[in-house]
Amino acid sequence: MSLRSRERLSIRRFGIIAFCVATPVAALLTLYAAEPFRSVILALCGATIGAAVIAIWRSDALSDDMLEMIVKRTRSEKVLPWPEVVAAMPDPAVVVDRSSIIQSYNEPARAVFDLLQAGKSLEHVSRDPELLESVSAVLENGERRTSRLLPHGVLGRRFIVTISALGNTEHRKARAVLITMHDQSEQHRLLEMRTDFIANASHELRTPLATLHGFIETLQGPARNDEGARDRFLAIMADQANRMKRLIDDLLLLSRAEEKANLKPTGTVDVNGLLADVGRALAPIAAARDIKITIANTPEPLVALGDRDELFQVFHNLIENSIKYGRESGKVTVTPEFKPSSKDAASGSTPHAIVSVSDNGPGISPEHLPRLTERFYRVNAEHSRRVGGTGLGLAITKHILTRHSAELSVESVVGQGTTFRVTLPALKYNCNSIS
C-alpha cells in the first residue's frame, strides 16, 4: 500500500470513530440534558458528526501537495547508509563482508594499507594474524573484539583495532564487520621516552651514589685512622656529591621548562647586557682551561622577546659547553646580530636577534648532530662526566627555546670547531624607537 493510500485510510478511520461516538451522545443529550446546556452540546455534536461525514466521504480530496510534503519529510529522516558513515569517520575504518571481502573504507585507511581496494580479500591487504583471527571470530559470534596492529611499510606506527559486528542474524553471526583503527604511535613513543629517561636518570645517579657508599665504608673501616686516605677520599666524595647536585638541578630545570612549554613569555631582554653577564659568570671556568671568551656587541641596543632568567640559562649552557668541550687554551666567540623582517614577507613579520657561539675545538661528527638535544645523549660520555656534564644541558636549551618560539641550529667541522646559533624574536633594533 502506498503512503497516500495509508494516509487516506487513516482519515476515514478517524471519521468513522468520530461519527460513531458523536451520534449516540447527541441522542442521549436530547432525552436527558436540560436547557441551556442541551442546545450548546447538540450544536457541538452536530458539528462533529458533519466533520466525520466529510472525512469519510471526501478523504480522496486530501491535498496532493500535503501528501507530497509528508513523503519528502519521511525520506529526509532516513538514516544515512553505512558507506557514508564510514567515509565520515576520522579514524581509519574498513568494512568487510562474511567472505572477508572489502566492501568499503575511508581515506585514512589508505595510509595504513598500501594494497587497500574494494572487492579485494582482507587477507590480500593485511597478513597480520591477530587481525585476521579477530575478524573471523566476530563474523562467527558477533561479539566485539580488539587487537593490536603493526602495519608493514608504516615505520613506527601502532594501532589498536576494534572489530564490531554489522547486521547480526538470529544465530548471532554477523553479516559484515566494521574495522576501526586508533593510532597509538605517539603515546607509545612518549612511553618509550619516559622509560628511557627514568632508566638514564637512575643510571646517572647510581654511579656517584655507589662511589660515595664505597668510600664511606672504607673510611669507617680500614682507612679509619689514615689521615692521607681520608683527605683524598673526602675530596672524591665531594666531587661525586657535586655531580649528583648538578644532575638533580638540571632535572628540575628540565621539568620546569616542560611545565611552561605552552606559556609564551611576555618580557623583553637586552641581549648585549645578558651576554655580558653570562660571560662574567663563566670567566672562572674559562680561566681554568686557559680559554679566551670574546663577546661582541651590536652597534645599537638589541632587544629580544623572552624571559631573562631562562635565556640566561640558554646562553650559559651554550657558552659553558664551548668552554668544556672546546680546545684547551683555545677561544670562544659570541656574536649577536640583528636580522630585520624581510621586505618580501607578509606584513607583521617578526625581526630576529641571532646569537652565534663558536669555538675552535675538535668539532662534532655529522652523525651526532641530529641527536645533540636528546636527554642524556653525549658525544663522548667519559669526557662529559670528567668535565662535569650531565647530558641535559642542550635538552633544557631546546625546551626553553621552543617556549620562546626560537630556533637552535648547529654547524660543526671535525678538527675546526663548532658553532651553535640561536634565533630569537626581537623588537626594533633601536631601543629608543620602542613605544
Side-chain angles (χ1 to χ4, degrees):
M1 184 182 293
S2 68
L3 176 63
R4 295 188 182 188
S5 298
R6 288 196 300 269
E7 292 294 333
R8 292 186 178 106
L9 180 59
S10 298
I11 294 172
R12 286 193 184 100
R13 287 173 179 170
F14 167 77
I16 292 171
I17 292 170
F19 180 82
C20 293
V21 171
T23 301
V25 169
L28 290 172
L29 290 173
T30 303
L31 294 174
Y32 299 108
E35 293 291 350
F37 298 106
R38 180 170 58 184
S39 300
V40 175
I41 296 174
L42 282 175
L44 291 174
C45 289
T48 302
I49 294 170
V53 171
I54 294 173
I56 295 170
W57 300 108
R58 297 293 303 275
S59 60
D60 288 342
L62 184 66
S63 171
D64 288 343
D65 291 339
M66 183 180 295
L67 287 174
E68 189 66 27
M69 180 185 67
I70 296 171
V71 171
K72 287 182 178 179
R73 180 176 178 181
T74 304
R75 289 175 179 171
S76 67
E77 293 175 351
K78 184 177 67 175
V79 178
L80 287 172
W82 54 259
E84 296 181 32
V85 175
V86 171
M89 295 178 69
D91 286 335
V94 179
V95 175
V96 300
D97 62 14
R98 282 201 59 79
S99 302
S100 290
I101 302 299
I102 295 171
Q103 298 297 314
S104 182
Y105 56 88
N106 59 6
E107 284 301 316
R110 284 179 173 271
V112 181
F113 301 115
D114 295 335
L115 303 176
L116 189 60
Q117 185 178 346
K120 270 191 174 183
S121 172
L122 182 63
E123 289 82 356
H124 294 161
V125 173
S126 173
R127 297 187 179 275
D128 188 282
E130 187 175 352
L131 173 64
L132 298 177
E133 181 185 352
S134 298
V135 170
S136 299
V138 175
L139 284 170
E140 286 303 313
N141 57 39
E143 295 181 359
R144 178 179 296 181
R145 292 188 62 172
T146 60
S147 66
R148 292 172 297 178
L149 175 65
L150 280 71
H152 294 289
V154 189
L155 191 61
R157 299 288 294 279
R158 292 171 177 266
F159 293 89
I160 292 295
V161 181
T162 302
I163 303 101
S164 306
L166 295 175
N168 286 0
T169 66
E170 62 274 11
H171 301 294
R172 299 187 67 188
K173 291 186 176 181
R175 293 191 176 94
V177 296
L178 171 64
I179 304 170
T180 54
M181 292 159 274
H182 180 63
D183 193 347
Q184 290 196 320
S185 307
E186 183 64 17
Q187 293 92 318
H188 183 76
R189 186 186 69 83
L190 293 174
L191 179 61
E192 285 187 334
M193 287 179 59
R194 189 179 299 112
T195 303
D196 291 342
F197 176 74
I198 293 172
N200 288 326
S202 300
H203 174 74
E204 292 292 333
L205 286 169
R206 187 181 296 116
T207 302
L209 278 173
T211 303
L212 285 171
H213 186 264
F215 283 126
I216 289 171
E217 287 185 340
T218 303
L219 290 172
Q220 289 174 336
R224 181 188 301 271
N225 300 316
D226 188 338
E227 293 185 6
R230 184 172 63 243
D231 292 340
R232 186 170 67 255
F233 291 163
L234 287 174
I236 297 173
M237 291 168 65
D239 182 64
Q240 294 300 316
N242 287 330
R243 176 181 168 186
M244 284 193 296
K245 181 180 181 300
R246 287 193 301 269
L247 179 60
I248 292 170
D249 288 344
D250 280 355
L251 287 171
L252 291 174
L253 283 172
L254 182 60
S255 177
R256 292 192 196 104
E258 289 177 336
E259 286 177 358
K260 297 191 292 185
N262 297 321
L263 300 175
K264 297 302 178 184
T266 57
T268 59
V269 180
D270 174 12
V271 175
N272 291 323
L274 175 67
L275 295 176
D277 289 344
V278 174
R280 283 189 290 270
L282 291 172
I285 300 176
R289 298 203 70 209
D290 191 26
I291 291 178
K292 180 182 179 181
I293 302 178
T294 302
I295 300 179
N297 286 324
T298 55
E300 297 184 43
L302 177 58
V303 178
L305 300 172
D307 182 287
R308 192 182 193 281
D309 290 340
E310 291 189 350
L311 292 180
F312 183 96
Q313 185 68 47
V314 165
F315 294 115
H316 189 282
N317 287 346
L318 294 178
I319 297 174
E320 185 180 30
N321 281 353
S322 295
I323 294 171
K324 289 180 176 180
Y325 304 109
R327 194 185 308 279
E328 194 164 357
S329 302
K331 61 180 180 179
V332 174
T333 304
V334 183
T335 308
E337 60 179 311
F338 176 76
K339 182 180 179 182
S341 55
S342 173
K343 293 181 180 179
D344 298 329
S347 59
S349 59
T350 306
H352 290 93
I354 302 174
V355 180
S356 302
V357 180
S358 304
D359 63 63
N360 62 341
I364 303 171
S365 300
E367 64 269 19
H368 295 295
L369 296 180
R371 302 189 61 187
L372 289 178
T373 57
E374 292 181 13
R375 301 169 183 179
F376 297 109
Y377 185 81
R378 296 179 174 95
V379 176
N380 186 330
E382 183 60 31
H383 179 70
S384 175
R385 292 191 180 97
R386 190 167 60 250
V387 298
T390 63
L392 293 173
L394 290 179
I396 295 170
T397 297
K398 177 185 176 183
H399 276 82
I400 292 175
L401 292 180
T402 299
R403 177 177 177 246
H404 282 71
S405 301
E407 296 179 1
L408 176 68
S409 60
V410 57
E411 299 172 2
S412 187
V413 178
V414 176
Q416 297 184 22
T418 303
T419 298
F420 285 91
R421 187 169 289 108
V422 174
T423 304
L424 290 161
L427 295 178
K428 295 179 180 179
Y429 188 50
N430 188 343
C431 282
N432 294 330
S433 63
I434 300 175
S435 56

